[in-house]
Amino acid sequence: MSGTVTDVRDVLGIDPGALEPRQPPLKKQRTVEKRPDGITRELYALLGENAPPVAVVEHRFKDKPKFLGSVAPWREQTFKNPARKDDLELKHWEGAGQQTLPLDYQFAKFNIKINVLEYSDAEYDAVLKDDDWSRQETDYLFKLIKEYDLRWVVIADRYEFEGKDRTMEDLKARYYSVCRNVMEMRTPVTMMSAEESALYSAMHYNKEQEVERKRIVQMQLYRTPAEVEHEQHLIAELRRIHDSHQQLLEEREELFNRLDYPQSTGSIAAYQGSQGLATLAQNILNSDRNKKRKSIVAPPGQPAEKEETAKAPPTASAASPAISRQGSIAEPARAHGHQRNESTASASAPTPLKDKNKSNIKQLSKAEEAQYNLSHHEKLQPGVFFRTMKMNLPKANSFINKSPAIMAELNIPQILSMPTSKTCAKYEILAKEIAALMDIRKQLEKVEQETRIFKAQEAMGGDRSKRSASVLSDVSRSSKRPKKDK
Amino acid sequence: MASTPQMTGVLPPTTKPAELEYGGDEVSALVLDPGTGTTRCGFAGEDTPKTCVPTSYGIVPDPEEQKYFGKLKIGENPINSVVEGMEIRNPMSEGIVENWEVATEIWRHCIEYRLSSRIEEHPLIVTEPIWNPLKKREKTTEIVFEDFNAPAYFLVKSAVCESFANSKPSALVVDMGHAYTSVTPVIDGIPLRKGSERTTLAGQHLTNQLRHQFTELGIRMAPWLTLKSKTPYTDLAAAPPLRTKDFGFQPHQSFLDLQQDRFIHEFKECVSETWPEAKTFPADINNLPDNFRGIADKAFEFPDGYQRRFGIDRFLAPESLFNPSISPKPITGDLPKGIAEMIKDSIDHLDADIRANMLNNIVVVGGTSLLYRINERLNHELMTMFPGPRVKIHSPGQIPERKYSAWLGGSILASCGAFHQLWISKQEYDEVGANIIERRAK
């Protein structure tokens, strides 16, 4: 190579000395750089300058397949299928050496027939007679069942017996009743083994139910698109309810816990006799007596107690909560002060107790009542409500529509920030006045409009002056009130 | 270096599959699937028939031929060559064999000439339509054992084969063939009689409709074979004169019809299309509403050089499969049910418990099912008819699998190890007679 290069230089007249002397090629140093920790070998191999992967394509034919071992000879051999009743011999190819005996033809084992019950003449006469089904037809049915391996759809499809029109349910009902009867006759039900009795009960066939079920299946199949959509909606709803059901249960549980419902732990067996009941009554009486303060609901005294226990169901679980709940209601009421106590008592206690309790209560002066914001009502409305909800406001549409604007004009908030009874009363008065004023303003506008019309008419011609005068007097009468109010 | 791509799950050809893992056991059987359009024949165990011969045959008057009163011409080439006096006939009628002598010749031609096989050496499996009457079945049996001398034979319903070919033991098979479209419920490989329906709304119907449509348009229906050359033109009024070949004789009309069928068939394959939704098809195609969705035109050149763009009118003939009342050529006699309607009727005949399963396993096969977007239309109509249950149409994606589904199912069946106990042997035939078919193959 180098010789040719010098030749070329000579030809071109290049002085070889002008060129730099050739340096000996650097010895390739095989420096093995240490792979830093944490980088996998495969990843590290990708770093640095890498030649792009180039597939070397050789233009030649595909390699001959490499066979493992020598080629085994195959022979065409005849075979017999033991599942066949005739001696048909078919030929297939077999690898030499794996000659199969005709008896164990590998596919013969798939020849499976089901066992269909068979009955004798005596059995038929004894238990299988049926007005609707002749012996021939029953035999025909069983022949088909055997032939089609209990594929009922096919059996019903192929069933043709002297023009009799049988549905699949008819056929099934007959078959299962025959099977049950024969089984029962051969082995009485009580003597059957577990397997037999399971089969026996599985053979039970309810034709009406099946017919109804198929009717429903059919109905389900031929739904209209609207029905399908409705159903999907219902399913979604159901799923939602189902999902929230757990939450609902939890909330209910929590509520019960809050109510502090005492759980009965003891058995109620002890209280089931009359003697036990008497003991229970005595116990309850004692526990009630031992309380520091008597329940306000049930006054002390034997007759009331007896009545109470008699009313309560004769179980400990039902009786004891009834009593303790009374206590739990009464106690907080007492702790909260006598005003509340009085209202609670007057609201919840039976009437005979009212007078008696009133005598015990300290009478308050008007000032004190105002201070405690105490009010007396003829009749208390049940339930909880806001005072503002019960305000007696004008109901007219015009008021409802326009009052917000007027209120805003007057700098009065729509929602009362401190709805005491006094404020509410004032508010009611204010609302009534506003309504009245609105009414008057409307009236005034009407009259002014009328006046304008009449004036215009007058300008057009004075012939109607008489009539307009009378109207004007009417107007002046109605406009008196607004003037005074303003 | 070049390595063959290995598909996972597919055994390499050199490895023998495990015993029973593959339920096949080849007994070198032959499968014959005679149809009105074509007769398919091949070796069991293969995935497509080796040969597909037109069932139509030509007959040339010949005083010396006593048997058929003429010389038979069987096969693609003989029937498409111009022979003086050759008449084209079909041995099938209503999807079943009518002319037994000729049908036997065609079958023999398929097996002996096309497959180069000796019939007497191979078990033979033949398909039949569900409505094949007992007499015809017995006749087939007789021919196979007496004429062909086959060692074993079985007659199987094509609907069963089609459901097997789609790997379904139970299916609602919709076979859209040449002469008939049939709907057959198959349960565990047994076809049901109630619920089986058929109609002539199939390939032949389409061809006739298109022929009528072209004639109405005033198109000259000269087939390729009769023309010397063509000049392209687009205006029918200014059509150049036809330059026909001079054969020295006038070919038989049936021959010309067959030749016309060939380019109409091409039109069916290239231009015809199914409208995907029933309710949006325009009521009057000559007077389209202004807001009508535009459809791309498709061009077609007729053998004489006439070029025409087909718009909405290319949907008309396929539409008549679903709505026979709007057929371009009015149907004489009772109006048949549309295909979707027929499927619904079939479903209505079935037991309530299997209906949902059948709707979920609708197998659509046959050459006519290759019409562009026909499955889409079918799916749409069925979904409208049954909004509740799941409707699923299974149709092989491969064209040969769709066209030769019945043959393929027969091929699978005949190479199945467990099937070999079902063959009707020559011995059984000799003992019982032709009636054995009724006992053994129901």
Side-chain angles (χ1 to χ4, degrees), chain A residues 288-315:
Chain A
D288 208 37
R289 233 176 241 157
N290 289 343
K291 278 183 183 167
K292 281 181 187 165
R293 194 187 157 273
K294 300 288 173 267
S295 148
I296 36 164
V297 181
Q302 286 289 75
E305 288 287 340
K306 275 203 174 148
E307 209 178 274
E308 187 75 25
T309 43
K311 268 183 196 167
T315 55

Side-chain angles (χ1 to χ4, degrees), chain A residues 67 84 86-87 91-92 98 105-107 109 111 147 151 156-158 168 213-214 221-223, chain B residues 14 16 19-20 25-27 188 191-194 348 351 353 387 420-421 423 425 428 442:
Chain A
F67 293 107
R84 296 188 65 92
D86 63 348
D87 33 280
K91 284 179 191 167
H92 64 181
Q98 27 171 279
Y105 178 58
Q106 53 178 346
F107 295 105
K109 64 177 168 194
N111 183 26
E147 195 175 326
R151 283 184 187 92
D157 182 66
R158 299 291 160 94
M168 192 200 286
R213 185 184 66 78
K214 287 214 173 148
L221 203 69
Y222 292 94
R223 288 169 302 170
Chain B
T14 49
K16 196 189 170 196
E19 300 282 321
L20 300 185
D25 185 13
E26 300 293 351
V27 292
D188 290 343
L192 299 187
R193 285 175 193 159
K194 293 163 193 157
D348 287 350
D351 186 65
D353 283 345
H420 299 324
Q421 71 178 75
W423 291 109
S425 65
E428 282 173 308
K442 297 204 177 193

Side-chain angles (χ1 to χ4, degrees), chain A residues 12 18 20 24 45 56 71 105 134 163 238 263 273 303 325 340 344 373 470:
Chain A
L12 294 174
E20 279 180 28
V56 181
V71 178
Y105 178 58
S134 65
L238 181 73
Q263 300 292 318
R325 209 188 294 173
R340 284 277 291 282
T344 324
N373 193 20
S470 72

Side-chain angles (χ1 to χ4, degrees), chain A residues 56-58 60 62-63 65 67 74 76 79 81 83-93 95 98 105-111 143-144 147-148 151 153-154 156-160 165-166 168-169 172 210 213-215 217-218 220-225 228, chain B residues 1-4 14 16 19-20 22-28 121 123 130 151-152 187-188 190-195 344 347-348 350-356 359 384-389 416-428 431 439-440 442:
Chain A
V56 181
V57 182
E58 284 181 53
R60 61 191 185 98
K62 194 168 82 175
D63 282 338
F67 293 107
W74 283 63
E76 193 176 29
F79 69 97
N81 190 336
R84 296 188 65 92
K85 291 187 188 89
D86 63 348
D87 33 280
L88 171 72
E89 287 193 343
L90 295 167
K91 284 179 191 167
H92 64 181
W93 289 86
Q98 27 171 279
Y105 178 58
Q106 53 178 346
F107 295 105
K109 64 177 168 194
F110 293 115
N111 183 26
K143 191 184 131 244
L144 278 186
E147 195 175 326
Y148 293 114
R151 283 184 187 92
V153 179
V154 183
D157 182 66
R158 299 291 160 94
Y159 197 88
E160 276 169 8
D165 195 25
R166 302 270 192 204
M168 192 200 286
E169 286 73 35
K172 276 187 179 177
E210 266 304 279
R213 185 184 66 78
K214 287 214 173 148
R215 197 185 61 78
V217 168
Q218 191 159 341
Q220 205 255 354
L221 203 69
Y222 292 94
R223 288 169 302 170
T224 62
V228 172
Chain B
M1 284 304 283
S3 63
T4 48
T14 49
K16 196 189 170 196
E19 300 282 321
L20 300 185
Y22 144 81
D25 185 13
E26 300 293 351
V27 292
S28 52
E121 281 178 5
I130 182 99
I187 298 289
D188 290 343
I190 304 167
L192 299 187
R193 285 175 193 159
K194 293 163 193 157
K344 185 176 188 295
I347 294 272
D348 287 350
L350 298 176
D351 186 65
D353 283 345
I354 59 165
R355 284 181 198 175
L359 279 172
T384 318
M385 284 170 178
F386 301 95
C416 210
F419 177 75
H420 299 324
Q421 71 178 75
L422 291 177
W423 291 109
I424 298 168
S425 65
K426 182 86 168 59
Q427 186 192 351
E428 282 173 308
E431 282 165 14
R439 278 197 228 166
R440 294 290 301 278
K442 297 204 177 193

Side-chain angles (χ1 to χ4, degrees), chain A residues 335-400:
Chain A
H336 281 241
H338 50 269
Q339 298 102 325
R340 284 277 291 282
N341 193 355
E342 187 223 31
S343 64
T344 324
S346 60
S348 62
T351 31
L353 299 171
K354 207 177 179 180
D355 298 338
K356 206 173 180 179
N357 284 333
K358 259 193 175 170
S359 63
N360 294 337
I361 291 162
K362 186 184 163 190
Q363 293 295 316
L364 294 171
S365 70
K366 286 270 174 194
E368 273 175 319
E369 278 188 0
Q371 188 187 350
Y372 293 124
N373 193 20
L374 190 68
S375 60
H376 299 276
H377 298 273
E378 284 294 304
K379 196 179 157 201
L380 269 179
Q381 225 166 340
V384 180
F385 54 86
F386 290 113
R387 193 178 273 131
T388 47
M389 278 160 65
K390 293 290 167 189
M391 276 196 301
N392 188 17
L393 297 177
K395 299 263 180 331
N397 269 342
S398 58
F399 175 77
I400 293 164

Side-chain angles (χ1 to χ4, degrees), chain B residues 48 80 123 262 321 368 401:
Chain B
T48 38
N80 288 316
R262 292 175 80 186
L321 295 179
T368 306
E401 272 181 47

